[in-house]
């Protein structure tokens, strides 16, 4: 994180890694599916999910946020030579992601987690120390600010996909989820977990871009009820697409917005 981001995270209450487990496993806000509107046909489940996640009688997307988390990983350094240029590239008005955010009236936020400090190479040692992981989780929680009513999560480092594959394999074997996150995770994935968990507590639906899908696996391993407010962009748009940061989720947002305006 930058100096300003680190200072902001430091203002959050001091917590330990096990506090994250307890936070995810507590009794979470109830989600009750409303009746399916006949007018939406096969799209009705999407509307029901958003409505239940928001705890309203009718879903609304007025202030969506597209949060892109970016950090540097210790593994596969040769595949991360252009990481420092990504924030400016993604935020450029000519970039497809920025253009999508404008079209959907979404708040595009690119969160850099100290690009000069990489996590450790998981092939040699655990990628993260517990206190650094917790700090990144707490920082991600701050993406759910008052007024945000829909949250898209994405990551921008192409190596994150390789870390996600390692995490999925470990969770499929039944390994402890938090220890798995420390072994293979990055600051970006920890921030996604924090943002998704904070959104559950704040009654904000979460849509995961392809690049952040593993967030669902991590939270589900902590508590299946902690992911009832989450959908993957591939659930909305299952077509084959290149894994360009945020694009599938940004396109899916347009469809979901139209559903909220049709009921």
């Amino acid at each position: 994180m930058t100096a300003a981001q680190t200072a902001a995270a430091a203002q959050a209450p001091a917590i330990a890694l096990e506090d994250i487990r307890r936070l995810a496993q507590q009794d979470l806000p109830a989600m009750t599916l409303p009746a399916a509107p006949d007018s939406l046909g096969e799209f009705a489940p999407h509307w029901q999910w958003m409505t239940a996640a928001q705890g309203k009688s009718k879903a609304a997307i007025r202030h969506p946020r597209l949060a892109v988390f970016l950090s540097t990983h210790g593994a596969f350094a040769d595949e991360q030579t252009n990481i420092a240029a990504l924030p400016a590239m993604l935020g450029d008005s000519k970039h497809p992601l920025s253009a999508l955010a404008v079209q959907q009236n979404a708040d595009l936020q690119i969160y850099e987690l100290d690009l000069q400090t990489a996590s450790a190479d998981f092939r040699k040692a655990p990628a993260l120390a517990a206190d650094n992981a917790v700090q990144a989780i707490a920082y991600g929680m701050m993406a759910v600010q008052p007024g945000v009513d829909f949250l898209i999560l994405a990551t921008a480092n192409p190596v994150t996909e390789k870390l996600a594959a390692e995490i999925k394999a470990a969770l499929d074997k039944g390994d402890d989820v938090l220890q798995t996150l420390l072994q293979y995770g990055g600051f970006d994935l920890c921030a996604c977990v924090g943002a998704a968990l904070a959104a559950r507590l704040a009654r904000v639906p979460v849509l995961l871009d392809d690049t952040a899908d593993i967030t669902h696996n991590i939270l589900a391993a902590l508590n299946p009820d902690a992911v009832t407010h989450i959908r993957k962009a591939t659930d909305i748009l299952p077509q084959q697409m290149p894994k360009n940061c945020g694009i599938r989720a940004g396109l899916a947002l347009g469809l979901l917005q139209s559903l909220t305006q049709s009921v």
Side-chain angles (χ1 to χ4, degrees):
M1 288 175 279
T2 65
Q5 292 166 345
T6 300
Q11 295 175 4
I15 56 176
L17 194 62
E18 282 303 315
D19 292 325
I20 301 301
R21 192 192 304 272
R22 285 189 286 270
L23 186 62
Q25 292 178 345
Q26 68 176 317
D27 288 335
L28 298 168
M31 285 182 54
T32 304
L33 284 179
D38 294 335
S39 60
L40 297 183
E42 293 184 0
F43 292 110
H46 301 325
W47 181 90
Q48 289 177 292
W49 151 64
M50 291 186 291
T51 300
Q54 292 181 341
K56 298 179 178 179
S57 59
K58 177 181 176 181
I61 303 178
R62 297 188 177 92
H63 303 289
R65 169 163 290 175
L66 204 171
V68 179
F69 291 102
L70 177 63
S71 68
T72 307
H73 305 302
F76 311 108
D78 58 326
E79 299 179 31
Q80 303 175 70
T81 55
N82 69 334
I83 291 301
L86 282 178
M89 185 186 306
L90 294 172
D92 190 298
S93 60
K94 296 180 181 179
H95 191 279
L97 182 62
S98 181
L100 266 177
V102 171
Q103 291 170 9
Q104 317 297 5
N105 195 29
D107 171 33
L108 173 60
Q109 293 289 329
I110 301 168
Y111 297 94
E112 301 173 49
L113 290 99
D114 190 1
L115 302 185
Q116 302 305 313
T117 303
S119 56
D121 187 338
F122 70 84
R123 296 168 297 185
K124 301 174 182 178
L128 300 171
D131 57 344
N132 291 332
V134 169
Q135 187 180 39
I137 291 171
Y139 176 62
M141 289 178 171
M142 294 190 292
V144 188
Q145 293 177 314
V148 173
D149 57 16
F150 192 92
L151 183 66
I152 290 175
L153 297 179
T155 64
N157 189 327
V159 170
T160 300
E161 183 178 359
K162 295 185 177 182
L163 306 187
E166 297 288 346
I167 291 173
K168 184 178 186 303
L171 294 181
D172 287 346
K173 290 190 300 182
D175 292 354
D176 177 77
V177 57
L178 294 181
Q179 291 306 311
T180 296
L181 187 60
L182 295 183
Q183 179 64 42
Y184 301 109
F187 300 121
D188 53 355
L189 291 179
C190 288
C192 283
V193 170
L197 183 54
R200 179 72 173 87
L201 299 172
R203 290 190 174 279
V204 174
V206 171
L207 184 66
L208 298 177
D209 185 56
D210 305 33
T211 59
D213 274 359
I214 195 64
T215 306
H216 186 281
N217 302 65
I218 295 169
L219 274 180
L222 286 170
N223 179 8
D225 188 38
V227 295
T228 51
H229 67 307
I230 295 175
R231 290 294 183 274
K232 298 179 180 180
T234 51
D235 297 331
I236 314 298
L237 297 177
Q239 293 81 1
Q240 290 293 322
M241 291 178 59
K243 282 194 174 181
N244 294 327
C245 172
I247 298 300
R248 186 191 299 272
L251 291 171
L253 174 61
L255 172 60
L256 295 174
Q257 285 175 319
S258 68
L259 295 182
T260 66
Q261 297 163 3
S262 301
V263 177

